[in-house]
Amino acid sequence: MEKQTRYSELLSQIEVFANDADHPISVLCNCAAVMKTIFPEEYFWVGFYIVEGGELILGPFQGTPACTCIKFGRGVCGTAWKEQCTLVVEDVEKFPGHIACSSLSRSEIVVPLKHDGVVVGEIDIDSTQLSTFDNEDRIYLEHAAEMIAPYMAKLAKPL
Ligand code: SME
């Protein structure tokens, strides 16, 4: 199936799961699950990091065990937080300070979740292939981030 078609499906599913009736942790769990289900090959690891003080804390995810705590400005995740923008990394080995949670990860995209202009968390996705993510992924995932951010905001503890 085309990437565009799969992202349209992803956004529709997130719309269903992102609802006020559920606990925000349940919302994030289902969003991670649906992302992994729709992109089983491309998304080796997909999950959330939650802003707590000056750190990102591991949230709901699908994939192998991951780093539990990332400081502001560190790694791809901490840098995306500091710069407040999406980072598309074609080759993680070429990103200075990249934090390797799995030696299988080769490329990565990190999308900040912003609520009222403040970064409250992030979507992090790793791939086992080089250059998996491009501008199209960025646009769709930033749309997903907008839908998910209000739920992340209920869990985050920004400084
Ligand atoms: N690679 C990330 C760490 C998180 S794992 O990929 C799940 C980073 O450099 O911040």
Side-chain angles (χ1 to χ4, degrees):
M1 211 193 288
E2 292 271 328
K3 187 154 88 171
Q4 221 178 335
T5 313
R6 288 200 278 166
Y7 271 117
S8 297
E9 176 61 18
L10 178 64
L11 294 179
S12 314
Q13 294 268 333
I14 290 175
E15 214 171 327
V16 173
F17 289 119
N19 70 82
D20 291 328
D22 288 322
H23 191 286
I25 292 177
S26 311
V27 170
L28 297 184
C29 289
N30 276 331
C31 287
V34 81
M35 289 166 106
K36 179 70 175 168
T37 306
I38 293 177
F39 290 97
E41 305 299 326
E42 298 81 355
Y43 293 6
F44 165 68
W45 192 97
V46 52
F48 296 97
Y49 277 94
I50 307 167
V51 167
E52 199 172 306
E55 294 171 338
L56 292 161
I57 304 298
L58 181 64
F61 70 94
Q62 296 268 314
T64 50
C67 324
T68 53
C69 185
I70 298 171
K71 293 202 184 313
F72 182 78
R74 295 290 176 86
V76 183
C77 293
T79 305
W81 180 13
K82 189 175 177 183
E83 295 182 0
Q84 305 203 23
C85 66
T86 299
L87 289 183
V88 177
V89 180
E90 294 192 359
D91 181 349
V92 295
E93 284 182 14
K94 292 188 179 147
F95 188 96
H98 165 257
I99 301 163
C101 294
S102 165
S103 57
L104 294 175
S105 294
R106 312 274 312 271
S107 60
E108 183 166 3
I109 183 167
V110 177
V111 183
L113 296 161
K114 291 185 202 170
H115 190 67
D116 293 337
V118 175
V119 176
V120 289
E122 291 181 339
I123 302 171
D124 181 19
I125 308 171
D126 286 13
S127 163
T128 56
Q129 306 299 312
L130 291 171
S131 308
T132 295
F133 308 105
D134 58 19
N135 208 36
E136 204 177 7
D137 297 272
R138 182 183 66 75
I139 290 165
Y140 282 110
L141 289 167
E142 286 181 351
H143 195 156
E146 274 175 38
M147 290 196 275
I148 298 167
Y151 301 93
M152 180 59 88
K154 294 182 189 184
L155 300 170
K157 295 174 194 147
L159 279 177

